[in-house]
Structure formats: C-alpha cells, structure tokens
C-alpha cells in the first residue's frame, strides 16, 4: 500500500466499511437478478455521491473536492472487492475530460451535476468490439455529430456523453435529438450500450492539448486497473479462506504444498499488480506524462486479474462453478474490464512503440 | 502526498550537499568514473590500483561506505535524507561505493542488531573500512534448503569451542578473512541447538577448496573445519539463539539478492537494442514480432518489480526493518534476472553461446557466464521453493504439511 495521507486513510477506511456493511457481494447479486438494464442501484449511487465520491476528481470550483486520482483509486479498489456496481468510474472519466479540455462555461454547465451525482456521464470512444482509438470514424460537421459507438459503459443511463470524434472530444447531452441507444447485454450484467448519434448537437472540448483523448484514456486504463486490483485481491482472500477450511483426503487443503506454492505465486503477482496500479494513479496526480505508467498498470491488471479469476474458480472446485457462489462474478466482470481500454497484446504493442522498438 | 521538508531541514540538507560535493571533488578520481563497485565483487579480489585504494580509504574513513550505520563503530551516522543526498551526488559524478560485500550486505546489519558492544567495536570498523572480507558458513552437504539440519559441531571446551564439520557453497571463501557461521552446540534440538559463531579463516584447521561451476567460474568453496579453536567471545547472542539470528541475516540477504539492492542491477544494452542489432528491424520495430512482445512483457514486469521493491522497502523501513516480504522480492527478482539472460541468449543466437577464443566480444562472453551463473540465483539464499514455503506459511498462514 502506498504511503497515504491521513485524509486518504480515512477515505479508504470509510469506503471499506461502507462496502462491507452496505454493499457486500449480495447487494450486487440483487442488482444482477433485477436485471433492469441500468446495471446499478440509483439509490446506492446517491449514497456514494452523498459521501463525496462522485466529486473526488472534480475541481473544487465546480463542486468537487479535487482530492486526486490515488484517492479515487482507493475507493474504486474497495468497490471492486465487493463487485459493487456504480457509474462512479465512468462519470469520473467524463468529468476529467471536461476538467482537462473544457471551457469555463462547459465546466460550469456539467461538472457540478456530475460531482453531486445527479448526472451520470460517460466516455463513448470505441466503435467496435476491440479498443482501437486510432480507428475512430465518428465525425462532426456544423456542430452536429454522427457515428455509432459500441459497448459504451453506463450508456443506458448516461445523461452526458463525452464522444471521441475524428477531430477531438465532444460533449453530447443524453437527451439530445439524434441520440439513440440499445442495450448490449454482456456477461458482467453491467450497463453497456450501443449508442448512435445521428446529427446530434455536439459541443467541442477545445482545450487540453493535442492528445486530450490519450490523457483521458490513460485515466480510464488506470481506473479499470484499480477496480481489477480490488477484485483480484478479494478473489485471492476468498480463495485463501476457502483453502484453509476445506477438508479433502482427511486434510485441510491449505496444508498441501502444491496449493501453497500456487497461492504464494498469486500473492507475489498481486503485489506487483498493486505497485503498478498505485504508480499509475500517482503518475496522474503528479501531472507528468502518464502514458507508460497507465499501460503498465493496465497490463499488470490484465495479466494478474485474468490468472487470479481463473484460479479462483479452479481452486474452489465444483462450488466455484455454481451461480450460487461468488467466483463467477469475478471471472465475468474481470474479462470485460480486461477487454476495455486495451487488452494485453494491444498495450504491449503500444508500450514497445513508445519505447522505440 | 509528499510532505515538504521544513525550511530548516532543507537548508541543513543543502549544507550537507555542499559538504558531499567538496568531498567528492577532493577524493573521487574522475578516472574511476562509472567503474562500478569492483572492490566488493564476490568473484575475487580485483587488483586494487593505488587510486582505488585511496578512494576506498577516503570513503571508509568518512564512514560513507556504510552511510546510515552508527558513527561510533565507523559508520556515517547519516539520516536517510542525508544518505539520499550522498547517493544522488555520487551518481551525479559517476562515483561508486567502494565498500561492500557480505560484511556490508548481511553480516554488519545483523551484528549491529544482535552483537555485544565489544563485538561491534571489534568487527564493524573492518567492514566500514572495506578492510576485512567476510564469508557465510551456512550450507552443508546435507543442509541446503533444510538448513536447520546442519551438523558442524562446536564442542564446549571451557574458554573456547572446538569446531568440526564441513560447510559448502561458501561464497568467496578462498578470499575471506572471517566467516559468520551457523554451528550446532546441542544435538538434542534441531532448531534450538544452533549457535551463531564467528570463525577466523586463517585459524589452524580451516581448509578451503574452490568448486568449479557450470559457468567455468569458482566463486564458491567447500570449507572444512578440523579441531578449529574458536574463542567464546566470538559467539554472537546466546548459545542456541543461532537460528533466530541466522534467519534475520537471511532476510538481509534476500533483500540484497532480489535486485532491490544493487547487485542484480541490469546493466549493458537494453534487450530492445540488442534485438534490433541481432534480429533487425522493420519500420522501427523489432523484426521478430513475437520476440518484441516478449521483450515488452519483460520490460513491464521489470518495472513493476522495481516499483514493488521500492514500495516494500519503504514499508519495511516504516515497520522497523526487513520482513518476510523480502521473500517475494527474492523470488521475482531472481526469476526476472534469469528470464533476461535467457532472452539475451535467444536474441544473440549461436553468437551468444560462445565459450572462449576468437570471434566473440567480451560482452558476449560475459553474457554466457552470467546466464549460466545466474541459474544459482533461484537456488542460493533459500531456493524459490523455500521462499514460497515462507510466503505460504508465514505471510498467508497456510498450515504446515501434516
């Protein structure tokens, strides 16, 4: 664990208490069973907003606390542990795009609502099943945006889209004429929607430099990695507890060296994952070049999260295969996050290119 | 968030920085720039040039080779902040620490914690001056991973012990002046019968035989003790406390072997540059795309490991010393070192497998030796399997095998 300030420790502890008391995995199970398309419980997101979480990366002048990415990452990690569903990450990413690239008027118009949790906002970037920010075709002409975005997270309930077009990022209100959405039901049961824009009113984010989209995607990668860190850590703890109580061949499974060594390797892997994720969050807070730190965070999260979620099912044996048990939630959500914002192969390629080979 | 230093502390540090700069200017010969810590190598005493000797003495007398050790025993007595300033300033001019070896990495920190006042006064200054070379008498032919099975026996003979037995894998034993040794003082209890004893390598009855390794080098020895008299004042801690002290020392060893210290720093050209040279490139990318992806994976794993080493060390320091987490650094650091060596061998093809003679650069030949020698890193200092046992049992609380 990175060295935290007193305020960050308090925030982390508050998030930990809240998730374990108010939002255990069973809470997600109820949302999953309700299957209403929004993919989260609006009253629960209201509670998060009350605690100030939706404004953590929003500047104070616009209703947030500007408490930084490491702080937001701590909360997202805790939510990941209990697979708590919320549009917190998506809204924070949209807010960061506006904070980085928006005019004062745009910030004034949208950020306070995002910070208070009244508006769910989200990024709409990819146009196909694989993350590919170099292949964006959506375009804007005369202030009207046209194009289609695939698998937009929280796309079913978003009141604001930050849309990547060929020449930059644009704000499109969720209720604007020409916006239509259809649900894409994925294995994680969270909200993903295909969103079409047919000459919808679009307002450009003109600031933030040439690579505004790149900066926002780095933040997206690191936040996804933070959620995966929470999930992997919890998957590990749950599996360890299971091995310590499950008896086979007259012995507790935890006494078998073959299983001890697998767990020791997973534990070590998760330590590396944690270092990479915390370094990614710290890199954003420090305001420098975030590209490589973000790739490192997401790639380690992809690799270790992938392995840990598989091992969780395997080491639980038959019970891990049942819907009644929680292991499946971690496996199914992990793969969605793994595919979002760059899979391992794509990010390795990008890392090599950034390093000149 | 980083706390800003108090203005006073800041200006005191600035004064210290100026002091370091003038010391380096007066004492570090530019001709030694970037030569690395040749004097601390366990692969044998390099011939010390007069310049190197002068540099070692200058640093030793100032205590700055062991900057944070207490001043009264010859250390630098520096705060962590001052030690960082010293390291920064040395790096700035390409200066290196001439004081090192097992005395600095393992034995010194352990003796500072467990030794008597007399022992510290007797042994620490030789280490801080880089004048006394220490070796480690732990492993025996039947006590490797099962170290507590060691049989070398120290019989009580009144004011001294009489030691008989054999140690193996004694790194640098042929060049060492002294040996910190685990010996059995009681045959009735596997763990509580072990004591931590300091043995003079020149004492009558000590015999050393180098072992030739697959790399062609002989950095390890067999060490035989035949009726070696060891004065009782050379017992560290209490009789029977050796296992506790010995384990503590192993934590220091792991931390240093992991690459979190300086020994496994990856030097030389990057894997990517090497691959471009031997495999070629297309559009600025390494021509072999599979190799390129594996290099990228290695580079990212290495960065994640370095971040972890920094994080774990900061956490252990805050918690008051090294911890069992050093086992993680050891297993991962050594694995990554081996993976890098294997990638280099793969990249260079048969040119990277030369043993000797014409047609190979010194660097290519060094890589071959390093690749072979590196296979020891996951075996010595507690094998990867033993580290995994430690992680499982002591960190994860998985129970002992019944």
């Amino acid at each position: 664990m990175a060295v935290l300030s007193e305020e960050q420790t308090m925030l982390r502890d508050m998030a930990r208490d809240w998730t374990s008391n108010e939002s255990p995995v069973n809470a997600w199970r109820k949302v999953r069973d309700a299957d209403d398309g929004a993919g989260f419980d609006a009253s629960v997101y209201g509670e998060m907003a009350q605690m100030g979480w939706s404004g953590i990366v929003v500047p104070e002048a616009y209703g947030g606390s500007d408490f930084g990415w490491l702080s937001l990452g701590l909360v997202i990690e805790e939510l990941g542990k209990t697979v708590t569903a919320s549009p917190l990450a998506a809204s924070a990413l949209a807010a960061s795009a506006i904070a980085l690239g928006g005019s004062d008027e745009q910030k004034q118009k949208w950020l306070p609502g995002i910070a208070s949790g009244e508006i769910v906002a989200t990024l709409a970037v990819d146009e196909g099943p694989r993350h590919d920010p170099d292949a964006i075709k959506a375009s804007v002409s005369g202030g009207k945006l046209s194009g289609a975005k695939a698998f937009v997270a929280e796309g079913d309930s978003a009141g604001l889209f930050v849309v990547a077009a060929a020449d930059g990022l644009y704000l499109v209100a969720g209720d604007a004429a020409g916006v239509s959405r259809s649900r894409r039901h994925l294995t994680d049961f969270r909200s993903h929607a295909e969103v079409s824009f047919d000459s919808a009113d679009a307002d450009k984010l003109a600031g933030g430099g040439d690579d505004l989209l790149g900066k926002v995607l780095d933040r997206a990668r690191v936040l996804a990695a933070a959620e995966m860190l929470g999930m992997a850590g919890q998957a590990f703890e749950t599996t360890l507890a299971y091995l310590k109580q499950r008896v086979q061949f007259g012995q507790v499974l935890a006494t078998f060296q073959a299983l001890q060594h697998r767990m020791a390797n997973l534990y070590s892997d998760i330590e590396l994952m944690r270092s990479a994720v915390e370094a990614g969050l710290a890199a954003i807070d420090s305001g420098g070049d975030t590209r490589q730190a973000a790739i490192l965070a997401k790639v380690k999260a992809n690799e270790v999260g992938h392995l840990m979620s598989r091992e969780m099912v395997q080491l639980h044996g038959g019970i891990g295969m049942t819907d009644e048990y929680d292991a499946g939630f971690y496996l199914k959500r992990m793969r969605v996050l793994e595919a979002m914002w760059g899979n391992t192969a794509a990010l390795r390629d990008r890392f090599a290119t950034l390093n000149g080979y | 968030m980083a706390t800003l230093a108090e203005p006073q502390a800041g200006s005191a540090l600035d004064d210290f920085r100026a002091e370091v700069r003038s010391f380096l200017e007066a004492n570090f010969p530019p001709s030694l720039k970037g030569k690395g810590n040749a004097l601390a190598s366990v692969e044998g005493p390099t011939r010390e040039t007069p310049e190197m000797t002068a540099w070692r003495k200058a640093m030793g007398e100032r205590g700055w080779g062991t900057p944070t050790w207490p001043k009264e025993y010859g250390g630098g007595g520096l705060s962590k902040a001052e030690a960082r300033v010293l390291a920064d300033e040395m790096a700035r001019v390409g200066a290196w620490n001439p004081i090192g070896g097992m005395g600095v990495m393992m034995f010194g920190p352990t003796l500072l914690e467990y030794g008597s006042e007399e022992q510290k006064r007797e042994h620490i200054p030789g280490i801080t001056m880089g004048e006394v070379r220490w070796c480690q008498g732990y492993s025996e032919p039947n006590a490797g991973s099962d170290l507590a099975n060691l049989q070398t026996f120290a019989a009580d003979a009144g004011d001294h012990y009489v030691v008989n037995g054999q140690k193996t894998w004694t790194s640098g034993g042929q060049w060492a002046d002294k040996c910190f040794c685990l010996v059995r003082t009681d045959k009735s209890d596997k763990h509580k019968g072990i004591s931590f004893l300091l043995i003079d390598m020149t004492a009558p009855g000590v015999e050393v035989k180098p072992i030739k390794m697959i790399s062609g080098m002989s950095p390890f020895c067999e060490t035989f003790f035949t009726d070696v008299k060891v004065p009782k004042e050379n017992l560290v801690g209490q009789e029977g406390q050796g296992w506790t002290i010995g384990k503590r020392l192993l934590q220091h060893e792991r931390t240093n072997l992991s690459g979190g210290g300086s020994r496994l720093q990856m030097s030389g050209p990057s894997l990517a540059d090497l691959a471009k040279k031997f495999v070629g490139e297309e559009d600025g990318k390494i021509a072999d795309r599979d190799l390129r992806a594996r290099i990228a994976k290695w580079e990212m794993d290495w960065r994640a490991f370095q971040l972890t080493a920094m994080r774990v060390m900061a956490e252990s320091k805050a918690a008051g010393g090294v911890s069992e987490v050093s086992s993680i650094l050891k297993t991962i650091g050594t694995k990554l070192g081996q993976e890098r060596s294997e990638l280099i061998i793969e990249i260079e093809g048969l040119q990277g497998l030369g043993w000797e003679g014409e047609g190979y650069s010194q660097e290519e030949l060094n890589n071959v030796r390093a690749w072979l020698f590196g296979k020891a890193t996951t075996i010595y200092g507690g094998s990867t399997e033993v580290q995994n046992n430690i992680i499982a049992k002591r960190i994860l609380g998985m129970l002992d095998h019944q």
Side-chain angles (χ1 to χ4, degrees), chain B residues 135-140 150 167-168 170 179-183 225:
Chain B
C135 66
Q136 178 179 36
Y138 271 35
S139 295
E140 298 184 9
L150 59 93
K167 294 288 174 183
T168 191
T170 320
C179 179
F180 51 91
C181 208
L182 290 180
V183 296
F225 300 110

Side-chain angles (χ1 to χ4, degrees), chain B residues 69-303:
Chain B
W69 291 15
K71 227 171 180 165
E72 62 261 43
Y73 310 119
L78 301 186
S79 68
K80 282 173 197 159
E82 287 170 329
R84 268 197 302 276
V85 168
L86 174 64
D88 289 348
E89 289 302 315
M90 285 175 59
R92 201 175 55 83
V93 298
W96 40 273
N97 187 349
I99 313 285
M102 292 193 179
V104 171
M105 291 191 301
M106 305 172 202
F107 175 60
T110 310
L111 194 71
L112 284 171
E113 187 173 351
Y114 288 99
S116 68
E117 185 62 26
E118 294 74 24
Q119 287 168 336
K120 291 181 202 173
R121 292 200 183 279
E122 181 181 351
H123 298 295
I124 300 290
I127 298 171
T128 61
M129 287 298 295
E131 282 170 353
V132 178
R133 229 169 233 277
W134 285 85
C135 66
Q136 178 179 36
Y138 271 35
S139 295
E140 298 184 9
N142 289 311
S145 288
D146 183 13
L147 181 59
N149 191 41
L150 59 93
Q151 302 299 325
T152 294
F153 190 69
D156 191 330
D159 65 340
H160 65 275
Y161 294 101
V162 176
V163 178
N164 279 285
Q166 181 194 347
K167 294 288 174 183
T168 191
W169 308 125
T170 320
S171 311
Q174 66 270 57
W175 307 300
D177 305 298
K178 307 215 169 174
C179 179
F180 51 91
C181 208
L182 290 180
V183 296
R184 183 157 296 289
T185 43
D186 177 358
K187 292 178 181 170
S188 67
D189 188 299
K190 189 176 179 186
H191 290 90
K192 289 178 191 155
I194 295 173
S195 298
F196 194 98
L197 202 58
L198 310 180
I199 301 179
D200 194 327
M201 293 296 278
T202 62
V206 178
E207 192 191 354
V208 176
K209 287 184 187 164
I211 306 169
K212 188 169 180 177
M213 307 297 290
I214 55 175
S215 61
M217 301 187 293
S218 306
F220 301 117
C221 295
E222 292 180 288
T223 304
F224 300 89
F225 300 110
T226 311
D227 293 331
V228 179
K229 282 174 77 171
V230 180
K232 279 220 169 142
E233 55 261 33
N234 282 11
L235 176 73
V236 178
Q238 306 295 313
E239 220 175 71
Q241 205 191 351
W243 187 244
T244 304
I245 301 173
K247 275 194 302 184
R248 184 62 159 177
L249 185 138
L250 286 175
Q251 290 178 344
H252 289 293
E253 178 175 12
R254 273 167 214 141
T255 306
N256 279 291
L257 293 179
S258 66
S262 58
R263 291 199 46 219
L264 261 180
Q265 256 171 18
M266 306 296 161
S267 56
S270 73
L271 291 173
D273 288 347
L274 213 56
K276 280 185 175 178
K277 181 176 158 194
F278 279 87
V279 183
E281 52 186 304
E282 288 166 9
D283 310 325
K285 296 180 179 184
I286 295 164
D288 180 334
R289 296 304 167 90
D290 173 61
L291 185 62
R292 175 176 179 263
R294 286 188 286 132
I295 290 173
K297 171 168 172 49
W298 188 90
E299 292 287 346
M300 280 192 265
D301 284 345
W302 177 242
R303 287 190 195 189

Side-chain angles (χ1 to χ4, degrees), chain A residues 185-207:
Chain A
H185 207 152
L186 290 180
T187 182
D188 69 349
F189 273 70
R190 297 278 291 267
S191 162
H192 304 273
E194 181 168 345
V195 185
S196 294
F197 302 93
D198 183 9
S199 290
D201 278 339
D203 188 14
K204 188 169 190 182
L205 295 174

Side-chain angles (χ1 to χ4, degrees), chain A residues 168-229:
Chain A
L169 294 182
Y170 289 82
L171 300 178
V172 178
D175 57 3
V179 175
S180 59
R181 33 188 132 192
S182 63
R183 184 177 177 196
R184 295 303 307 269
H185 207 152
L186 290 180
T187 182
D188 69 349
F189 273 70
R190 297 278 291 267
S191 162
H192 304 273
E194 181 168 345
V195 185
S196 294
F197 302 93
D198 183 9
S199 290
D201 278 339
D203 188 14
K204 188 169 190 182
L205 295 174
D210 289 342
D211 195 29
L212 177 61
L213 174 61
K215 288 175 195 155
V216 174
L217 289 176
D218 287 345
R219 285 155 175 75
R221 289 177 185 127
V222 175
L223 276 195
E227 182 176 345
M228 295 164 90
L229 175 63

Side-chain angles (χ1 to χ4, degrees), chain A residues 29-45:
Chain A
R29 185 176 290 278
K30 282 183 194 139
V31 175
R32 194 278 307 256
D33 291 346
D35 192 20
D36 68 353
F40 66 95
D41 181 333
S43 69
V44 167
Y45 189 52

